């Protein structure tokens, strides 16, 4: 693309009020092409991996620590007991909606990458209930994702609104409604898939796929819970509470997440009766299982690096923004959602995308007769929902890497759900434009 697409750029300036670097929407001009040679790609991969080091090492640390915790057999006995309790009566049907709702509430203020460490926990709970790892990932990733994508209390929403000249967190009730609508659609879709697996395990997308996180659970098995396993559970729960509180109140990032799990793995290993040498061997084994997925995070980031170095991101954004002028009024809001989804392929960072596209799309919305509030809504939904299908989205790769779920199998589940979520998102965009939200 860097050899074919003409180079172009917008002028940037620093906003004196906020100190942010913004784009002058009326300053686009073509520039000399700076194509990226194939010979440069290995170097750019190394550079991108270096820039994503905090994510990569966090994923590796979490994987190694969880391997130690799994070795204590704590998860097996407690998940077996949970499955035995939930298998009685009709309690099982409420498991997915309730768990997904809990994560949806957490996602009102937090992005999905903060919950990568919860992926194995979700998988183990789902497997213990007789489902597969995809259901476990969906409970956590899609649960957080639906409310993060609607963005009622997201910092990215506030950034987009401030750039568009709107009051911060305005129309929060409407975005709460969007989040709930996405949650309902996602929960129903996931429950239908889970029910299908329960009825016929061979119909699942992970049937006989090797390397996926799993363990055998027999609801008729008599499990003996030892004192060591109780202590390991208490230590693990405390670490999860510390992690959640730290992310929400202190703004912890990937390094803090990795640190918490290093401590958790070490303490749980000691409580489980492991010596230092054994813990090291188990830790390295866990890191090895996740090394490939961790590197994919860096490889995915290389795409954005190449497009930036080739000087074509602004050209593509300018062309997509111009398309909206030729769309019938009733379809402008859905098209704005689609445009932001496509831009997210190039700039998979929410705040980075906001600083690039909002200075452009806000004036465009004025020209085509759209409200700026609808433009922010379309931006946030487009920026959010597509993160769960993109192969270079760091959160998704972290979830799949820690649980061993292949990307192609995840997409067999996710592509229909993404279409459903997109339809819901576009309908809400049209409603928002109609009522002025």
């Amino acid at each position: 693309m860097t050899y074919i697409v003409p180079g172009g750029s917008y002028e940037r300036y620093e906003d004196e009020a906020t100190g942010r670097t913004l784009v002058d929407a009326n300053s686009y001009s073509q520039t000399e092409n700076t194509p990226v040679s194939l010979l440069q790609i290995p170097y750019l991969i190394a550079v991108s991996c270096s820039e994503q080091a905090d994510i990569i090492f966090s994923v590796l640390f979490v994987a190694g620590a969880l391997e130690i915790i799994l070795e204590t057999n704590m998860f097996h006995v407690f998940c077996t007991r949970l499955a035995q309790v939930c298998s009685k009566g009709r309690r099982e049907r409420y498991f997915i909606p309730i768990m997904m709702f809990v994560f949806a509430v957490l996602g009102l203020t937090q992005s999905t990458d903060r919950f990568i460490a919860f992926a194995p926990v979700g998988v183990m709970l789902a497997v213990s209930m007789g489902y597969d790892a995809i259901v476990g990932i969906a409970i956590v990733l899609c649960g957080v994702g639906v409310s993060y994508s609607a963005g009622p209390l997201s910092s990215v929403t506030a950034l987009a609104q401030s750039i568009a000249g709107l009051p911060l967190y305005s129309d929060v009730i409407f975005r709460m409604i969007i989040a709930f609508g996405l949650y309902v659609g996602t929960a129903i879709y996931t429950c239908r898939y889970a029910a299908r697996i329960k009825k016929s395990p061979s119909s699942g997308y992970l049937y006989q796929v090797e390397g996926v996180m799993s363990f055998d659970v027999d609801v008729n098995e008599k499990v003996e819970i030892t004192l060591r396993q109780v202590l390991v559970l208490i230590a693990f729960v405390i670490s999860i509470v510390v992690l959640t509180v730290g992310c929400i109140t202190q703004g912890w990032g990937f390094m803090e997440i990795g640190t918490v799990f290093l401590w958790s793995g070490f303490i749980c290993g000691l409580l489980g009766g492991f010596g230092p040498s054994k813990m090291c061997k188990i830790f390295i084994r866990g890191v090895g299982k996740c090394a490939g997925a961790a590197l994919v995070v860096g490889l995915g980031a290389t795409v954005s690096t190449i497009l930036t170095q080739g000087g074509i991101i602004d050209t593509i954004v300018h062309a997509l923004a111009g398309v909206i002028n030729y769309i019938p009024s009733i379809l402008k809001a859905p098209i704005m959602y689609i445009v932001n989804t496509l831009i997210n392929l190039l700039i998979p960072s929410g705040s980075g995308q906001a600083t690039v596209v909002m200075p452009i799309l806000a004036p465009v919305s004025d020209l085509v007769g759209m409200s700026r509030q609808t433009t922010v809504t379309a931006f946030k939904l487009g920026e959010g929902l597509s993160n769960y299908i993109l192969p270079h989205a760091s959160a998704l790769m972290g979830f799949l890497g820690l649980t061993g779920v292949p990307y192609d199998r995840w997409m067999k589940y996710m592509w229909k759900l993404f279409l459903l979520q997109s339809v819901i998102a576009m309908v809400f965009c049209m409603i928002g434009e109609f009522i002025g939200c």
Side-chain angles (χ1 to χ4, degrees):
M1 290 177 67
T2 61
Y3 282 87
I4 299 170
V5 178
S9 68
Y10 287 96
E11 292 182 7
R12 267 74 171 171
Y13 66 94
E14 184 174 326
D15 183 22
E16 295 181 359
T18 62
R20 302 188 186 102
T21 300
L22 302 180
V23 173
D24 183 351
N26 300 313
S27 65
Y28 177 78
S29 61
Q30 287 196 349
T31 59
E32 184 179 351
N33 269 37
T34 55
V36 176
S37 167
L38 290 174
L39 299 177
Q40 291 180 272
I41 291 180
Y43 171 73
L44 295 178
I45 290 174
V47 169
S48 299
C49 285
S50 176
E51 293 175 347
Q52 300 295 317
D54 58 341
I55 302 176
I56 292 172
F57 280 101
S58 178
V59 169
L60 294 177
F61 291 162
V62 171
L66 279 171
E67 190 73 9
I68 296 173
I69 299 169
L70 286 171
E71 193 73 13
T72 66
N73 212 33
M74 176 271 291
F75 276 116
H76 177 82
V77 296
F78 281 104
C79 285
T80 300
R81 184 62 62 86
L82 174 67
Q84 291 171 344
V85 172
C86 291
S87 63
K88 299 175 182 179
R90 305 173 70 85
R91 303 173 186 170
E92 182 182 341
R93 65 166 60 185
Y94 304 113
F95 172 76
I96 293 174
I98 291 174
M99 291 299 296
M100 188 174 285
F101 184 78
V102 170
F103 283 103
V105 172
L106 293 173
L108 291 172
T109 59
Q110 304 296 308
S111 60
T112 47
D113 52 17
R114 302 290 180 89
F115 294 88
I116 291 175
F118 288 79
V121 179
V123 168
M124 284 180 260
L125 290 174
V127 171
S128 70
M129 299 295 295
Y131 309 130
D132 66 6
I134 285 178
V135 174
I137 293 175
I139 288 172
V140 182
L141 180 65
C142 296
V144 177
V146 292
S147 52
Y148 170 76
S149 299
L153 299 174
S154 168
S155 59
V156 176
T157 301
L159 174 59
Q161 288 178 325
S162 68
I163 295 172
L166 299 170
L168 300 188
Y169 298 113
S170 49
D171 283 330
V172 65
I173 300 301
F174 180 65
R175 290 186 173 84
M176 287 281 192
I177 295 171
I178 297 175
F180 184 74
L182 289 170
Y183 158 76
V184 170
T186 302
I188 291 173
Y189 181 89
T190 304
C191 287
R192 287 172 61 88
Y193 174 74
R196 193 179 78 195
I197 295 175
K198 198 78 169 180
K199 185 177 181 181
S200 174
S202 61
S203 66
Y205 299 133
L206 294 177
Y207 183 68
Q208 293 185 334
V209 175
E210 296 181 357
V212 180
M213 174 180 284
S214 64
F215 55 93
D216 296 326
V217 174
D218 183 359
V219 294
N220 298 315
E221 176 187 358
K222 290 185 178 180
V223 293
E224 295 292 334
I225 301 176
T226 67
L227 176 61
R228 285 191 179 277
Q229 290 166 342
V230 172
L231 293 175
V232 170
L233 175 63
I234 292 172
F236 179 74
V237 170
I238 290 174
S239 68
I240 292 297
V241 171
V242 169
L243 179 64
T244 304
V245 173
C247 287
I248 293 175
T249 65
Q250 304 299 318
W252 283 0
F254 289 106
M255 286 297 93
E256 289 83 2
I257 292 172
T259 302
V260 169
F261 268 85
L262 283 174
W263 273 110
S264 180
F266 175 68
I267 294 172
C268 289
L270 290 178
L271 294 174
F274 301 155
S277 296
K278 184 175 182 178
M279 278 193 282
C280 287
K281 291 177 181 178
I282 298 171
F283 183 88
I284 292 171
R285 185 177 70 204
V287 169
K289 290 179 180 179
C290 195
L295 288 173
V296 169
V297 174
L299 291 169
T302 309
V303 175
S304 180
T305 302
I306 291 172
L307 294 173
T308 301
Q309 187 160 320
I312 65 173
I313 284 185
D314 284 2
T315 301
I316 297 172
V317 171
H318 177 73
L320 290 173
V323 168
I324 301 173
N325 285 311
Y326 302 98
I327 302 300
S329 297
I330 194 172
L331 297 177
K332 289 187 188 298
I335 293 299
M336 188 73 83
Y337 164 79
I338 294 172
V339 164
N340 280 284
T341 299
L342 295 174
I343 293 173
N344 200 42
L345 295 171
L346 311 175
I347 313 173
S349 162
S351 56
Q353 187 175 335
T355 57
V356 172
V357 304
M358 286 312 301
I360 300 167
L361 294 182
V364 167
S365 63
D366 294 339
L367 294 173
V368 300
M370 278 183 60
S371 75
R372 292 196 172 195
Q373 200 68 263
T374 301
T375 300
V376 171
T377 301
F379 153 74
K380 190 66 191 72
L381 289 168
E383 177 271 325
L385 294 175
S386 56
N387 284 321
Y388 315 118
I389 62 170
L390 297 180
H392 59 288
S394 59
L396 175 59
M397 288 300 102
F399 271 80
L400 299 185
L402 280 177
T403 56
V405 174
Y407 174 74
D408 64 315
R409 298 300 174 131
W410 169 254
M411 283 304 296
K412 283 188 174 184
Y413 164 83
M414 190 64 203
W415 75 268
K416 291 180 182 177
L417 177 56
F418 176 69
L419 290 180
L420 172 63
Q421 291 175 335
S422 294
V423 169
I424 295 172
M426 288 188 283
V427 168
F428 273 113
C429 284
M430 288 192 289
I431 294 173
E433 177 63 13
F434 180 75
I435 64 178
C437 288

